[in-house]
């Protein structure tokens, strides 16, 4: 961001300044640009209009020479009509990470040019009573982001992207009835049943040292289906039993919330174990829904869970979902190695390292 200013601007700033105004030019990721000013009237500068409506007000800018993130917030009001920023667009993510340039001008003499104050990207929004607030993340924020790939047990590719190399299955549907406003609806035409995949435990658990010597496992998605194996750090396999477990045995009970409770013998308390199990997924879980009609037409949302005929979103839609609304739903992936093998047969393109030992194993003392 250049801070070069004209001689006329420099001379004016060195005097008693009475006609200074700040302008903010915000460019969204879709390429649409908007202008705002804290002046009491619109400012047309370089052929671009900076609106005064909405009560735009920036906070003081705090910056340092140690590459720490600059601190600034922008406050404004929602307008009943004609407002550039609406609550629905904020909640739909249209303003996420938009580019911002804030500069100052002499509104009494725009020929002096501008003095750039700060630049960056919009960060976290806060919805207020009748208005909104957003943080401006300075350019130094980019230096704090991870730009290289890091080891992870789950896949780093996005399902269906150029690294995954798959084409996610899709289906068209229409809302039959709404169960929870903005989040859950039913559609009998969605009869797809989810696959059963194996969860491979690479992190491990420690059996509690006090009664009832139980561990609760939670699947990445869906619900626990069956046990595959329980193995300790020394490769000793535990046997499954339907009664009270003895030494090197366990019993397992499914829970109503989709998890499962593993019970062990007191003789094995404190042992580190790895629990592998099968779990059933919803066919469209972790996928997306794009609305093609209704009040939410054009918006896309993530699917949290799916069972035949019932879709649950991760977050509520900005507008109510109504019976008859049409949509396109796309299947997702929980990025586990078992899912990649059993469901998609795409392990050759799996972008994770599921068999790298966890920190407990790496940091364990040598025996």
């Amino acid at each position: 961001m250049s801070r070069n200013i004209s001689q006329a601007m420099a001379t004016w700033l060195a005097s008693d300044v009475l006609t200074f105004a700040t302008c903010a030019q915000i460019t969204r990721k879709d390429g649409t640009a908007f202008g705002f000013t804290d002046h009491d009237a619109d400012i047309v500068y370089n052929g671009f209009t900076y609106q005064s409506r909405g009560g735009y007000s920036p906070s003081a800018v705090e910056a340092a020479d140690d590459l720490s993130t600059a601190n600034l917030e922008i406050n404004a009001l929602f307008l009943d009509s004609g407002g550039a920023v609406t609550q629905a667009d904020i909640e739909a993510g249209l303003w996420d990470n938009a580019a911002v340039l804030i500069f100052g001008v002499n509104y009494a003499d725009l020929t002096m040019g501008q003095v750039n104050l700060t630049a960056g990207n919009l960060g976290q929004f806060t919805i207020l009573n009748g208005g909104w607030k957003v943080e401006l993340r300075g350019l130094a924020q980019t230096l704090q982001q991870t730009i290289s790939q890091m080891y992870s047990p789950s896949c780093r590719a996005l399902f269906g992207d150029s690294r995954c190399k798959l084409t996610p299955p899709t289906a068209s549907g229409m809302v039959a009835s709404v169960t929870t406003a903005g989040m859950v609806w039913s559609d009998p035409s969605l009869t797809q049943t989810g696959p059963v995949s194996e969860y491979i435990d690479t992190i491990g658990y420690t059996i509690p040292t006090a009664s009832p010597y139980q561990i609760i496992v939670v699947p990445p998605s869906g619900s626990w289906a069956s046990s595959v194996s329980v193995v300790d750090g020394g490769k000793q396999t535990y046997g499954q039993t339907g009664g009270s477990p003895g030494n090197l045995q366990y019993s397992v009970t499914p829970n109503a919330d989709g998890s499962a409770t593993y019970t062990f013998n007191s003789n094995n308390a404190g042992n580190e174990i790895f629990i592998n199990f099968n779990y059933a997924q919803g066919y469209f879980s972790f996928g997306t829904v794009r609305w093609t009609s209704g009040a939410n037409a054009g918006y896309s949302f993530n699917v949290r869970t799916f069972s035949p005929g019932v879709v649950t979103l991760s977050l509520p839609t900005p507008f109510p979902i109504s019976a008859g609304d049409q949509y396109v739903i796309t299947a997702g992936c929980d990025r586990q190695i078992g899912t990649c093998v059993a469901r998609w047969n795409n392990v050759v393109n799996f972008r994770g390292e599921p068999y790298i030992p966890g920190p407990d194993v790496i940091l364990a003392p040598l025996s």
Side-chain angles (χ1 to χ4, degrees):
M1 180 185 66
S2 173
R3 293 188 184 273
N4 295 330
I5 61 175
S6 67
Q7 184 59 48
M9 173 66 75
T11 302
W12 176 68
L13 290 175
S15 63
D16 294 332
V17 175
L18 301 176
T19 55
F20 186 84
T22 65
C23 297
Q25 182 170 326
I26 303 178
T27 305
R28 299 191 318 202
K29 290 184 292 185
D30 60 7
T32 308
F34 300 85
F36 306 92
T37 180
D38 59 0
H39 187 39
D40 59 4
D42 291 355
I43 293 178
V44 179
Y45 176 68
N46 286 342
F48 195 80
T49 300
Y50 295 85
Q51 301 178 10
S52 61
R53 300 173 66 236
Y56 151 80
S57 177
S59 68
V61 179
E62 297 180 6
D65 59 1
D66 59 357
L67 294 182
S68 60
T69 303
N71 180 31
L72 184 143
E73 288 184 340
I74 297 175
N75 296 267
L77 302 174
F78 290 121
L79 300 178
D80 293 334
S81 62
V85 183
T86 65
Q87 183 172 344
D89 286 347
I90 292 176
E91 293 177 345
L94 297 184
W95 292 88
D96 291 354
N97 203 39
V100 182
L101 172 63
I102 298 180
F103 59 91
V105 296
N106 178 3
Y107 63 79
D109 185 2
L110 297 176
T111 62
M112 289 184 178
Q114 67 191 62
V115 51
N116 292 335
L117 302 177
T118 188
N121 297 86
L122 296 184
Q124 180 177 348
F125 275 88
T126 301
I127 304 298
L128 306 172
N129 185 20
W132 52 272
K133 177 175 66 176
V134 63
E135 64 177 357
L136 175 65
R137 296 173 177 171
L139 298 179
Q141 177 78 14
T142 305
L143 301 178
Q144 300 181 9
Q145 306 301 311
T146 301
I147 59 176
S148 60
Q149 297 189 40
M150 301 181 67
Y151 289 114
S152 65
S154 59
C155 184
R156 293 181 298 276
L158 295 177
F159 187 48
D161 68 7
S162 59
R163 295 185 298 171
C164 174
K165 300 182 181 180
L166 289 180
T167 301
T170 61
S172 299
M174 183 172 66
V175 176
S177 61
V178 179
T179 305
T180 302
M183 289 194 69
V184 185
W185 72 90
S186 62
D187 180 355
S189 70
L190 298 179
T191 59
Q192 295 87 341
T193 56
V196 173
S197 298
E198 179 182 354
Y199 175 76
I200 300 173
D201 182 12
T202 60
I203 300 176
Y205 300 85
T206 299
I207 299 175
T209 56
S211 179
Y213 310 106
Q214 293 179 337
I215 294 174
I216 298 177
V217 298
V218 180
S221 64
S223 58
W224 181 93
S226 62
S227 182
V228 174
S229 65
V230 175
V231 182
D232 65 17
K235 305 301 181 182
Q236 176 68 54
T237 299
Y238 286 54
Q240 183 176 355
T241 178
S244 298
N247 185 43
L248 296 180
Q249 289 185 330
Y250 69 93
S251 63
V252 59
T253 303
N255 300 320
D257 61 0
S259 63
T261 300
Y262 284 69
T263 303
F264 298 87
N265 187 276
S266 60
N267 291 333
N268 306 126
N271 290 356
E272 183 183 43
I273 56 172
F274 298 85
I275 302 176
N276 302 318
F277 57 88
N278 292 319
Y279 64 101
Q281 306 175 51
Y283 188 88
F284 293 105
S285 296
F286 294 96
T288 58
V289 166
R290 179 175 56 84
W291 296 97
T292 57
S293 72
N296 297 295
Y299 290 140
S300 295
F301 301 90
N302 294 327
V303 177
R304 186 178 70 186
T305 60
F306 172 82
S307 58
V310 180
V311 182
T312 302
L313 299 179
S314 297
L315 293 173
T317 58
F319 303 106
I321 300 173
S322 301
D325 289 354
Q326 298 179 343
Y327 59 88
V328 174
I329 187 169
T330 303
C333 179
D334 62 4
R335 304 184 183 185
Q336 300 296 317
I337 181 65
T339 302
C340 195
V341 173
R343 182 178 187 184
W344 304 118
N345 191 27
N346 192 41
V347 69
V348 67
N349 293 312
F350 186 78
R351 307 293 175 169
E353 294 75 31
Y355 300 109
I356 290 181
D360 291 344
V361 177
I362 295 175
L363 300 177
L366 296 176
S367 57

